[in-house]
Amino acid sequence: MKAAEEGLSLDPGEDLCLTFRARALMELGRREEAHQVAEHLLSESPEDAWKHQLRGDQLLMEGKLSEAKPHYLEALRIDPRMESARYGLATCLKGRSALYGTMLGLLLRLGRMASWALWGGVVLMVVTLRIGNTWVSTHPSWVVPYEVVKSLLWMALVLVMIANPLFDVLLRFDREGRAALSDDEYRATNWYLACFAVA
């Protein structure tokens, strides 16, 4: 943010500094200001793919997938080789699934957390499971409910880890979604299919 402000003090209309300022404002939670900057940039250069991607990224961060999608499509119309817009479009298309949409919301919230908080959550989960295992060994009547809760926790963790590969496979067989996959992602789905088949 500081570097963007310094650049804007030298040239208040410099596009790149305004773009970085808009992204920094989103990260700081100052969404209204970020939207104003992005809308100003788009009104100045409606045929700029990077401005559409910026707007799409802002809307994606807020979970507004249907509003973000047209901006990614427009960015790809202007620059068909723009991989970051392709990734954003793929994320929007995956979000059509209620399951992935829920996980995407969770992942976006986790992405905004500090690394120490994430590690603290992992440590807390491990310690809680250790304590739970010890407690259940002395209270056998609670074994079934405890194991059910533990199984649901592990299922949720596995789903988060395989969400992107799983939905890339689904996009491969979707007419609109296939266009959102890069060549490398499309080839990767061959491996995903093989792994899921073995599993």
Side-chain angles (χ1 to χ4, degrees):
M1 182 71 164
K2 184 181 177 184
E5 296 288 2
E6 287 175 0
L8 289 170
S9 68
L10 300 173
D11 181 359
E14 212 288 315
D15 280 8
L16 189 58
C17 289
L18 284 169
T19 300
F20 281 120
R21 184 172 188 273
R23 292 192 181 281
L25 288 168
M26 281 300 291
E27 293 295 332
L28 293 169
R30 293 159 61 181
R31 294 180 179 178
E32 287 303 318
E33 293 175 71
H35 290 320
Q36 287 172 7
V37 174
E39 285 166 8
H40 167 73
L41 286 168
L42 259 181
S43 66
E44 293 286 313
S45 308
E47 285 297 310
D48 189 317
W50 290 101
K51 306 300 186 301
H52 281 285
Q53 193 215 332
L54 170 65
R55 192 72 183 109
D57 289 348
Q58 288 181 338
L59 293 165
L60 184 65
M61 281 182 73
E62 293 183 342
K64 298 176 180 175
L65 307 183
S66 59
E67 294 177 41
K69 179 181 162 186
H71 287 287
Y72 290 126
L73 286 170
E74 185 63 12
L76 287 168
R77 183 192 67 77
I78 297 165
D79 182 1
R81 296 172 298 174
M82 193 174 191
E83 289 302 318
S84 50
R86 193 180 300 279
Y87 177 80
L89 176 60
T91 304
C92 290
L93 293 173
K94 292 172 189 176
R96 292 179 302 188
S97 159
L99 177 62
Y100 188 86
T102 302
M103 286 191 290
L104 178 62
L106 173 65
L107 291 171
L108 287 171
R109 280 193 290 276
L110 289 174
R112 289 194 288 267
M113 291 176 68
S115 57
W116 64 265
L118 293 174
W119 279 110
V122 171
V123 170
L124 181 64
M125 185 186 77
V126 171
V127 169
T128 301
L129 287 174
R130 291 292 297 272
I131 293 170
N133 291 340
T134 304
W135 186 80
V136 164
S137 65
T138 58
H139 299 81
S141 61
W142 285 90
V143 169
V144 173
Y146 175 74
E147 290 300 328
V148 168
V149 170
K150 197 161 74 168
S151 298
L152 290 172
L153 173 65
W154 286 116
M155 281 174 59
L157 289 173
V158 168
L159 273 174
V160 167
M161 287 186 281
I162 69 167
N164 273 318
L166 178 61
F167 283 94
D168 279 352
V169 169
L170 295 178
L171 284 180
R172 174 182 175 151
F173 298 106
D174 180 86
R175 183 173 55 81
E176 192 179 30
R178 202 162 33 241
L181 295 174
S182 68
D183 291 341
D184 286 342
E185 287 170 331
Y186 189 87
R187 283 192 291 270
T189 58
N190 294 325
W191 293 101
Y192 300 154
L193 281 168
C195 291
F196 288 139
V198 170

